[in-house]
Amino acid sequence: MADFYHTQRAMRQMRQQAMQRGVVAILDVGSSKTACLVLRFDGIGRLSEDNSIGSLAGQSGFRVIGAATTRSRGVQFGEITAMQETERAIRTAVQAAQKMADIRVDHVIACFSGANPRSYGLDAQIELEGQVVTEHEVARVLASCDVPDYGAGREVLHAQPVNFALDNRSGLSDPRGQLGQDLSVDMHMLTVDAVAVQNLVHCVKRCDLELAGIASSSYASGISALVEDEQELGAACVDLGGGSTGVSIFMKKHMIFADCVRMGGDHVTADISMGLAIPTANAERIKTFYGGVHATGMDDREMIEIGGDTGDYEHDRRRVSRAELIGIMRPRVEEILEEVRARLDAAGFEHLPSQQIVLTGGGSQIPGLDGLASRILGQQVRLGRPLRVHGLPQAATGPGFASAVGLSLFAAHPQDEWWDFEIPVDRYPARSFKRAVKWFRDNW
Amino acid sequence: MQSVNPVSRDPAPSRLRYRMQRWMLTPGIRLGLRVGMPLALVVAAAGSYLADADRRGALVQQAVDLRESLEQRPEFLVGVMAIDGASADLSDAIRAAVPLDFPISSFDLDLESIRSAIAVLDPVKSVSVRIRPGGVLQVDVAERQPVVVWRTRDGIRILDESGARIYQIEDRKSRPDLPLIAGDGAQFAVAEALELFAAAAPLKERLRGLVRIGERRWDVVLTRDQRILLPPDDPVRALERVIALSEAQDMLERDVAVVDMRLAERPTLRMTPDAVQNWWRIRDIKESGQ
């Protein structure tokens, strides 16, 4: 338990250093693309003299000065499977972004989508030592959460206190300074496979970069794709990525659930490739140009050259109607959305007061997806694009960049997590005291 | 495992190129390359060139030659010295005091030292030296005006109104137009002496000069060795009193040796011994006649 506490704390310190230097890179390692944004932090600046443009929901403290995207390699289902390839992809993206920013970046905040995220709700209640809730008391109540046995080989990625209750008053976001007797906390903890995190850390290290933070991409895309009232009232964000589909549920501006479906746009492409017997590159191309989920009469007549590079004229000149293409794509998209529905049901999404669902990610650009999704997920479905941040190039404003933009917001204003509070002394393992004693004995 | 030699071109930079690029984006390195390296090159080139003593000497010589050729240009040459406001004697004295062989470059002229060399000459009251366009060293001199002759044991000197010495003469008769003063410290009271001379205008025919006594007061010396002893304070008034008496009663025409005005409330006369004898004789005749 203490291990991840210390590693996360070290990353927070690294983030502080990056803030002092004023430049940090955002790295979204996805299955289909690797995106890198370079942010410059130069304080909260007003955009206009007469104050007519406000602080843009607090993200105007930074500016995107470099952006680059490259095709991901060696990443499947949002997890790194070939380290060398992924390292090269990261290098490509970081180099191009640095070149655009014309500045060297040393700190990077990364996110990834896969690695079987699993949410846990923790709670704890303590009796206050004094009357006033202090930082120490908050740390104590956070430390007294009994952590479930999340299994070996798993690592805690997020541990965010989402709700504090003081005596019989609940729904406190920050109880510090208030008076009471009993303090209780609800905490949301997200664990992922440790191997995936270690692989990512290793890749980033190999690129001579320091990891200043790590986040789940479903969380990041939720931050950027959900508008403020949706985050407040409760909404689910579905990030249709390349290799995996992230699901996150927000409530009262906190993420309370995250999960991922190990299917995404790459599977649709693979289906097209298999069904039409064409190369993956061609399949990807006709998917993005002609793809859809609702066939109409017009689509029967629209013939698509699907190509091929066998040298056989007949084979390379094949044409399919757009309706056929849609017929291949639709079942897979339906499958993904049904899987998402299952995850939302498992999380108890139907009990939330608001049933808003926001689709984002590169896969949400399929024409007609909102109609299909509303049939499967519920009536309140909309397509979400990431928030507009300062200096973001036009090419990076699409829904595919939701998690990159969300990670930028996360980098600028990270939510308080467990490791932002000092761990109480009595929780320190006895080993470190022994080590200190030993050090004294050795040296004096 | 990926194939060792991928067929398609790899867009990823190699580790070396990636590091190199990051290195080049580091601000310190960029500054070093932009400023430091050219600077180092220039310094190294200059240093290697100047390492040889002969080259250094040649360079210095070149600079000196250039400077000299510039200084010797006709625009900067001064051909003559023009002296304004000085008599012929003083002009000669100035030319002797400032020995310059013209033409000379204006860069070689030290105007301040020339000015001080001229200013120490006795007859010069003030002097300004400048180089006039056209290569003329212009010396404007204000000469001291001689007002009195001061006779001392060492010689006879001409003084101006401030008491400064102008020059020395052999004989009083060479400047008979100037009044004569004498005595130690007389040069410090020339202004007062001049006032006295002005007041003594009625006695002009008989006036021989003024003598400073004890460095504090004046004696007026007239012909026939008559003396008027003036007080240190307000001597002009005392003198005017004497002149008034003299005009009213012809006092000075009589056989008086000294008119002592040192005590204003008690002016005293001293008669010559002959006059005293005469006076005594006349008194005896009068008494015997009684």
Short mmCIF file of all heavy atoms in Angstrom, two decimals, chain B residues 256-283:
data_model
loop_
_atom_site.label_atom_id
_atom_site.label_comp_id
_atom_site.label_asym_id
_atom_site.label_seq_id
_atom_site.Cartn_x
_atom_site.Cartn_y
_atom_site.Cartn_z
N VAL B 256 57.12 124.35 7.32
CA VAL B 256 56.62 123.25 8.13
C VAL B 256 57.30 121.98 7.66
O VAL B 256 57.43 121.73 6.47
CB VAL B 256 55.09 123.11 7.96
CG1 VAL B 256 54.58 121.90 8.70
CG2 VAL B 256 54.42 124.34 8.47
N ALA B 257 57.77 121.20 8.61
CA ALA B 257 58.45 119.95 8.22
C ALA B 257 57.45 118.80 8.13
O ALA B 257 57.47 118.05 7.18
CB ALA B 257 59.54 119.61 9.25
N VAL B 258 56.60 118.71 9.13
CA VAL B 258 55.72 117.56 9.21
C VAL B 258 54.32 118.03 9.61
O VAL B 258 54.20 118.84 10.52
CB VAL B 258 56.25 116.53 10.25
CG1 VAL B 258 55.21 115.46 10.50
CG2 VAL B 258 57.53 115.91 9.78
N VAL B 259 53.31 117.51 8.90
CA VAL B 259 51.94 117.69 9.36
C VAL B 259 51.47 116.32 9.84
O VAL B 259 51.35 115.38 9.06
CB VAL B 259 51.02 118.17 8.21
CG1 VAL B 259 49.61 118.40 8.74
CG2 VAL B 259 51.58 119.42 7.59
N ASP B 260 51.27 116.21 11.14
CA ASP B 260 50.94 114.89 11.71
C ASP B 260 49.44 114.81 11.89
O ASP B 260 48.87 115.46 12.76
CB ASP B 260 51.66 114.73 13.05
CG ASP B 260 51.50 113.32 13.58
OD1 ASP B 260 50.68 112.54 12.99
OD2 ASP B 260 52.17 112.96 14.56
N MET B 261 48.77 113.98 11.06
CA MET B 261 47.32 113.84 11.13
C MET B 261 46.95 112.50 11.73
O MET B 261 45.83 112.02 11.57
CB MET B 261 46.71 113.93 9.72
CG MET B 261 46.94 115.22 9.02
SD MET B 261 46.15 116.57 9.85
CE MET B 261 44.47 116.23 9.50
N ARG B 262 47.88 111.80 12.42
CA ARG B 262 47.61 110.44 12.88
C ARG B 262 46.51 110.41 13.92
O ARG B 262 45.73 109.48 13.96
CB ARG B 262 48.88 109.81 13.43
CG ARG B 262 49.85 109.45 12.33
CD ARG B 262 51.11 108.89 12.88
NE ARG B 262 51.84 109.91 13.63
CZ ARG B 262 53.02 109.71 14.20
NH1 ARG B 262 53.57 108.53 14.12
NH2 ARG B 262 53.65 110.68 14.84
N LEU B 263 46.46 111.46 14.75
CA LEU B 263 45.33 111.56 15.68
C LEU B 263 44.42 112.64 15.15
O LEU B 263 44.80 113.82 15.06
CB LEU B 263 45.82 111.92 17.08
CG LEU B 263 46.72 110.85 17.70
CD1 LEU B 263 47.29 111.35 19.03
CD2 LEU B 263 45.95 109.56 17.91
N ALA B 264 43.22 112.26 14.76
CA ALA B 264 42.33 113.19 14.05
C ALA B 264 41.94 114.36 14.94
O ALA B 264 41.81 115.49 14.47
CB ALA B 264 41.08 112.45 13.58
N GLU B 265 41.78 114.11 16.28
CA GLU B 265 41.35 115.19 17.17
C GLU B 265 42.50 116.11 17.56
O GLU B 265 42.30 117.13 18.19
CB GLU B 265 40.67 114.61 18.42
CG GLU B 265 41.51 113.74 19.29
CD GLU B 265 41.49 112.28 18.86
OE1 GLU B 265 41.17 111.96 17.67
OE2 GLU B 265 41.82 111.43 19.69
N ARG B 266 43.71 115.69 17.22
CA ARG B 266 44.85 116.55 17.61
C ARG B 266 45.87 116.61 16.49
O ARG B 266 46.92 115.95 16.55
CB ARG B 266 45.48 116.01 18.88
CG ARG B 266 46.29 117.06 19.61
CD ARG B 266 46.97 116.46 20.81
NE ARG B 266 47.95 115.48 20.40
CZ ARG B 266 48.71 114.77 21.25
NH1 ARG B 266 48.56 114.94 22.54
NH2 ARG B 266 49.59 113.91 20.85
N PRO B 267 45.58 117.30 15.41
CA PRO B 267 46.58 117.45 14.34
C PRO B 267 47.79 118.22 14.88
O PRO B 267 47.63 119.15 15.69
CB PRO B 267 45.85 118.24 13.27
CG PRO B 267 44.42 118.23 13.66
CD PRO B 267 44.37 118.03 15.11
N THR B 268 48.95 117.85 14.48
CA THR B 268 50.17 118.44 15.02
C THR B 268 51.05 118.90 13.88
O THR B 268 51.09 118.24 12.84
CB THR B 268 50.93 117.40 15.85
OG1 THR B 268 50.00 116.74 16.70
CG2 THR B 268 52.03 118.04 16.66
N LEU B 269 51.71 120.01 14.10
CA LEU B 269 52.67 120.51 13.12
C LEU B 269 54.06 120.47 13.72
O LEU B 269 54.24 120.68 14.92
CB LEU B 269 52.37 121.96 12.75
CG LEU B 269 51.12 122.25 11.94
CD1 LEU B 269 51.05 123.75 11.65
CD2 LEU B 269 51.12 121.47 10.65
N ARG B 270 55.02 120.13 12.87
CA ARG B 270 56.41 120.28 13.32
C ARG B 270 57.10 121.22 12.34
O ARG B 270 57.05 120.99 11.14
CB ARG B 270 57.10 118.93 13.36
CG ARG B 270 58.46 119.02 14.00
CD ARG B 270 58.97 117.66 14.42
NE ARG B 270 59.62 116.97 13.33
CZ ARG B 270 59.45 115.69 13.02
NH1 ARG B 270 58.59 114.99 13.72
NH2 ARG B 270 60.11 115.15 12.04
N MET B 271 57.70 122.17 12.94
CA MET B 271 58.38 123.16 12.09
C MET B 271 59.82 122.73 11.87
O MET B 271 60.36 121.94 12.63
CB MET B 271 58.33 124.53 12.76
CG MET B 271 56.91 125.07 12.79
SD MET B 271 56.83 126.72 13.43
CE MET B 271 57.22 126.50 15.12
N THR B 272 60.44 123.31 10.88
CA THR B 272 61.85 123.02 10.63
C THR B 272 62.68 123.71 11.72
O THR B 272 62.24 124.69 12.32
CB THR B 272 62.29 123.58 9.26
OG1 THR B 272 61.99 124.95 9.23
CG2 THR B 272 61.58 122.86 8.14
N PRO B 273 63.90 123.24 12.01
CA PRO B 273 64.73 123.90 13.06
C PRO B 273 64.95 125.38 12.79
O PRO B 273 64.89 126.22 13.72
CB PRO B 273 66.03 123.12 12.98
CG PRO B 273 65.66 121.80 12.39
CD PRO B 273 64.52 122.04 11.49
N ASP B 274 65.14 125.75 11.51
CA ASP B 274 65.34 127.17 11.19
C ASP B 274 64.13 127.98 11.59
O ASP B 274 64.23 129.05 12.21
CB ASP B 274 65.58 127.34 9.68
CG ASP B 274 66.96 126.81 9.29
OD1 ASP B 274 67.74 126.54 10.23
OD2 ASP B 274 67.19 126.62 8.09
N ALA B 275 62.99 127.45 11.27
CA ALA B 275 61.76 128.17 11.58
C ALA B 275 61.61 128.33 13.09
O ALA B 275 61.22 129.40 13.60
CB ALA B 275 60.56 127.42 11.01
N VAL B 276 61.99 127.26 13.82
CA VAL B 276 61.88 127.34 15.27
C VAL B 276 62.79 128.45 15.80
O VAL B 276 62.39 129.29 16.63
CB VAL B 276 62.24 125.98 15.90
CG1 VAL B 276 62.28 126.09 17.41
CG2 VAL B 276 61.21 124.93 15.47
N GLN B 277 64.06 128.44 15.27
CA GLN B 277 65.01 129.47 15.71
C GLN B 277 64.46 130.85 15.44
O GLN B 277 64.46 131.74 16.31
CB GLN B 277 66.33 129.31 14.95
CG GLN B 277 67.07 128.01 15.24
CD GLN B 277 67.54 127.89 16.67
OE1 GLN B 277 67.76 128.94 17.34
NE2 GLN B 277 67.65 126.69 17.17
N ASN B 278 63.90 131.01 14.24
CA ASN B 278 63.33 132.29 13.86
C ASN B 278 62.22 132.71 14.78
O ASN B 278 62.13 133.86 15.23
CB ASN B 278 62.78 132.23 12.42
CG ASN B 278 63.86 132.56 11.40
OD1 ASN B 278 64.85 133.21 11.77
ND2 ASN B 278 63.70 132.12 10.18
N TRP B 279 61.41 131.68 15.06
CA TRP B 279 60.23 131.98 15.87
C TRP B 279 60.65 132.44 17.25
O TRP B 279 60.16 133.40 17.81
CB TRP B 279 59.33 130.74 15.91
CG TRP B 279 58.02 130.99 16.57
CD1 TRP B 279 57.14 131.96 16.26
CD2 TRP B 279 57.52 130.33 17.70
NE1 TRP B 279 56.09 131.94 17.07
CE2 TRP B 279 56.29 130.92 17.99
CE3 TRP B 279 57.99 129.27 18.50
CZ2 TRP B 279 55.52 130.49 19.07
CZ3 TRP B 279 57.18 128.86 19.52
CH2 TRP B 279 55.95 129.46 19.81
N TRP B 280 61.70 131.64 17.80
CA TRP B 280 62.19 132.02 19.12
C TRP B 280 62.72 133.47 19.10
O TRP B 280 62.46 134.27 19.97
CB TRP B 280 63.33 131.06 19.55
CG TRP B 280 62.80 129.74 20.00
CD1 TRP B 280 61.55 129.44 20.32
CD2 TRP B 280 63.56 128.59 20.17
NE1 TRP B 280 61.43 128.15 20.69
CE2 TRP B 280 62.68 127.57 20.60
CE3 TRP B 280 64.94 128.24 19.99
CZ2 TRP B 280 63.13 126.29 20.85
CZ3 TRP B 280 65.35 126.97 20.26
CH2 TRP B 280 64.46 125.98 20.68
N ARG B 281 63.49 133.78 18.03
CA ARG B 281 64.09 135.11 17.92
C ARG B 281 62.99 136.18 17.88
O ARG B 281 63.04 137.19 18.62
CB ARG B 281 64.93 135.17 16.63
CG ARG B 281 65.95 136.31 16.60
CD ARG B 281 67.07 135.94 15.61
NE ARG B 281 66.56 135.42 14.38
CZ ARG B 281 66.17 136.20 13.36
NH1 ARG B 281 66.22 137.51 13.47
NH2 ARG B 281 65.75 135.65 12.27
N ILE B 282 62.00 135.96 17.10
CA ILE B 282 60.92 136.93 16.97
C ILE B 282 60.23 137.12 18.30
O ILE B 282 59.93 138.24 18.73
CB ILE B 282 59.92 136.47 15.90
CG1 ILE B 282 60.56 136.57 14.52
CG2 ILE B 282 58.64 137.32 15.92
CD1 ILE B 282 59.83 135.83 13.46
N ARG B 283 60.07 135.96 19.03
CA ARG B 283 59.40 136.07 20.34
C ARG B 283 60.26 136.92 21.30
O ARG B 283 59.76 137.77 22.03
CB ARG B 283 59.16 134.67 20.90
CG ARG B 283 58.13 134.66 22.02
CD ARG B 283 57.89 133.24 22.46
NE ARG B 283 59.11 132.59 22.86
CZ ARG B 283 59.21 131.29 23.20
NH1 ARG B 283 58.11 130.54 23.17
NH2 ARG B 283 60.35 130.77 23.55
#
